[in-house]
Amino acid sequence: MGKKVTVITQNIDGLHKAAGNKRVIELHGTDQTSTCMSCLMQYEQSEVISQWIAQPDEKKFRPISEDDFVPTCKNCGGILKVIYPSSDSIV
């Protein structure tokens, strides 16, 4: 029987979990998920990327100052945001 190891990290990139660590405490949250601001349903970032890819090319490749892309929740239509749980702040 081996030792149980818990990784405590300040990184938000999810690499400790991707490396196979099962017990990870992310002190500053993670950028790997987005949360609906209305119903609090969580999505992998791949959902946000899929929504962006589904846009017509003329919308995808505009200057950043003209970008109006807002990812939405499939459950309720609310806005998806990255939430860092350690500070309850929304980015």
Side-chain angles (χ1 to χ4, degrees):
M1 169 136 338
K3 293 181 182 180
K4 287 189 177 181
V5 175
T6 300
V7 176
I8 301 172
T9 181
Q10 295 185 54
N11 297 340
I12 62 168
D13 55 19
L15 291 178
H16 290 290
K17 287 183 179 177
N21 295 297
K22 302 293 184 213
R23 297 164 43 114
V24 179
I25 298 172
E26 296 165 318
L27 292 176
H28 298 295
T30 180
D31 63 358
Q32 303 299 302
T33 60
S34 288
T35 302
C36 175
M37 301 303 296
S38 298
C39 72
L40 302 179
M41 188 163 185
Q42 284 198 328
Y43 293 89
E44 295 293 320
Q45 285 299 81
S46 59
E47 172 60 28
V48 174
I49 294 167
S50 294
Q51 288 184 25
W52 184 82
I53 289 171
Q55 297 183 103
D57 283 348
E58 60 270 8
K59 289 192 83 173
K60 283 191 269 193
F61 301 109
R62 295 185 293 185
I64 192 87
S65 61
E66 298 173 19
D67 184 14
D68 61 355
F69 171 70
V70 178
T72 55
C73 176
K74 289 182 174 182
N75 185 50
C76 73
I79 296 172
L80 299 181
K81 294 277 189 175
V82 173
I83 298 177
Y84 297 104
S86 63
S87 63
D88 293 330
S89 62
I90 300 167
V91 178

